[in-house]
Amino acid sequence: MKILVPVKRVVDYNVKVRVKSDQTGVDIANVKMSMNPFDEIAVEEAVRLKEKGVATEIIAVSCGVAACQETLRTALAIGADRAVLVETDVELQPLAVAKLLKALMDKEGAGFAIVGKQAIDDDANQTGQMLAALAGIPQATFASKVEIADGKAKVTREVDGGLEVVSMSLPAVITTDLRLNEPRYVTLPNIMKAKKKPLDTVKPADLGVDVAPRLKTLKVSEPPGRKAGIKVADVATLVDKLKNEAKVI
């Protein structure tokens, strides 16, 4: 069974994001970029499934500019077998990415897709669900444990009330939560091996997908700064301020 794992190039989670002065978006010039953390978890889970003999091949996919090759090389160093870059300069939205992934699943004959539940740049949390809908296959989101046996996937999901266990037939789509695993440390020998692994580049037109944006960003702005706190003399004053000023009780 082939596993398709999308990986997105995003601003590193340690970097403080700054909004452009014209409020058209986020400034990424000279900013450290890295793989989306949830996607890194997805790659790790795919590698573990291969180590268990469940998967035969792991295909890492990234959609975006040429610099996304760096992210794909990281996925190859973690353990993916080969990579595909869908190269485009167009701003990709979740539906466009889902269509590209659907086309690649059909082309590669992949029986499984493990997707990060969301990207830390737009926090859309849509691509995995849209992919499952377009492909007409089962899905399990926010997975904290995955077991594959007898052509079925048993997935433990994190829900508001606790944990939910679902079983579904393959092919399927799973989106990863933080507690699914801890990605392995990428060693220098594996980084060197990744440079020799195949990385193919295709265009959206090669897959027959129109990636033109359907949504328009009107303005991007930073959240308002928090006001400084105050000290109160006693509990009575605190209750009075919470009731009459903050109006939370």
Side-chain angles (χ1 to χ4, degrees), residues 36 44-45 73 79 97 129 134 140 142 149-150 170 176 206 209 217 226 230:
N36 180 49
E44 172 67 26
E45 191 64 22
R73 290 296 179 193
V97 175
Q129 293 90 325
L134 290 170
F142 317 137
D150 302 323
L170 300 178
T176 62
D206 300 332
V209 177
T217 300
R226 295 182 61 181
I230 60 171

Side-chain angles (χ1 to χ4, degrees), residues 38-60:
F38 291 104
D39 298 345
E40 194 172 359
I41 292 170
V43 177
E44 172 67 26
E45 191 64 22
V47 173
R48 293 187 184 190
L49 290 174
K50 186 181 178 184
E51 290 172 346
K52 293 176 182 177
V54 173
T56 56
E57 186 179 32
I58 301 167
I59 307 166

